[in-house]
Amino acid sequence: MKTYIIGNWKMNFTVGESSLFLHKLLQRVRSYRDIEVVVSPSLMALQSLSLQTDRRKIKLATQNFYHRDFGAFTGEVSIAQLRSLVDYAIVGHSERRYIFNESDKDIRAKVAAALRNGLTPILCIGETDSERTFGETADVLRDQLLGGLSEVSAEEVSKCIIAYEPVWAISGHDKAAKVASPLDVKDAFALIRKILKETYGKETAEDTPLLFGGSVKSINAESYLLLEDCNGLLIGGASLIASEFTDIIEIAKRVKDANAQH
Ligand code: 13P
């Protein structure tokens, strides 16, 4: 399986700045067959960046979309309208769940819409700080995972990517965001694989990529990538710094090569 290094730019950069930043990345990023590099700019920049990017090096993801394909939905953009621009779609990000009140129902409809339109959904799941404190992590992960996948056929589950992003570890809103220890992430990954295995079988569980996201930087990327179950990273703040993002890609390649030798 490839290792996924995905940059979520969130609501940063103007269209012009996005283009300049992509230009910088395209000059610096080396393409490796076993590392999939993806960036997710704002919706506004997707059209121009899709023409600018070299998809063999850097693919694009949308940060959001509406689950219906066409119709009277003022102000919305559908995945059917975006499908020629992107290869991936982020779904269920905690910022959409908690700031924009997206429900599990919205999220499962989006996962299904992405697959229906031939794109790979990146389903984000993760517990909040208080859920963690009250020992609810396992229940939250189970509910968000199975809730998000409930309109997907068992055969299609491995076409989705699952990103574990504990809300307490995401920088940006919570100034006191903590850094997740590799052990925290290892336990969550083990649980997610177990739920996938019990629900969809061993093969699907093993074939579904699991990513980690939350305050990932070049200094800690390796500690997560070394985890047996880790198939990549979803990066926010550090993906806005070209040297950080490209360093993380190189770290992922080193870990991949080292694993291949064992
Ligand atoms: P940070 O890497 O800035 O913590 O953001 C993580 C994230 O939300 C990626 O989707």
Side-chain angles (χ1 to χ4, degrees), residues 157-178:
V157 168
S158 58
K159 290 189 188 149
C160 303
I161 292 175
I162 309 299
Y164 171 56
E165 294 209 312
V167 182
W168 49 269
I170 297 179
S171 64
H173 302 286
D174 185 356
K175 293 280 173 284
K178 302 174 192 89

Side-chain angles (χ1 to χ4, degrees), residues 9 13-27 49 52 242:
W9 295 356
F13 296 149
T14 63
V15 174
E17 287 165 350
S18 300
S19 172
L20 284 175
F21 191 74
L22 180 67
H23 178 73
K24 209 189 263 186
L25 290 182
L26 286 168
Q27 283 181 322
L49 266 53
Q52 182 187 346

Side-chain angles (χ1 to χ4, degrees), residues 3-15:
T3 296
Y4 295 83
I5 301 297
I6 304 181
N8 177 5
W9 295 356
K10 306 191 180 181
M11 201 177 71
N12 292 292
F13 296 149
T14 63
V15 174

Side-chain angles (χ1 to χ4, degrees), residues 8 10 93 95 124 165 169-172 213-216 234-238:
N8 177 5
K10 306 191 180 181
H93 193 281
E95 286 149 21
C124 302
E165 294 209 312
I170 297 179
S171 64
S215 299
V216 174
L234 182 52
I235 306 154

Side-chain angles (χ1 to χ4, degrees), residues 12 56 71 80 106 115 123 178 184 218 225 245 253 261:
N12 292 292
R56 288 165 305 180
D106 299 322
L115 287 169
L123 172 63
K178 302 174 192 89
D184 290 327
S218 61
L225 288 165
F245 193 61
K253 179 60 183 163
Q261 278 169 11

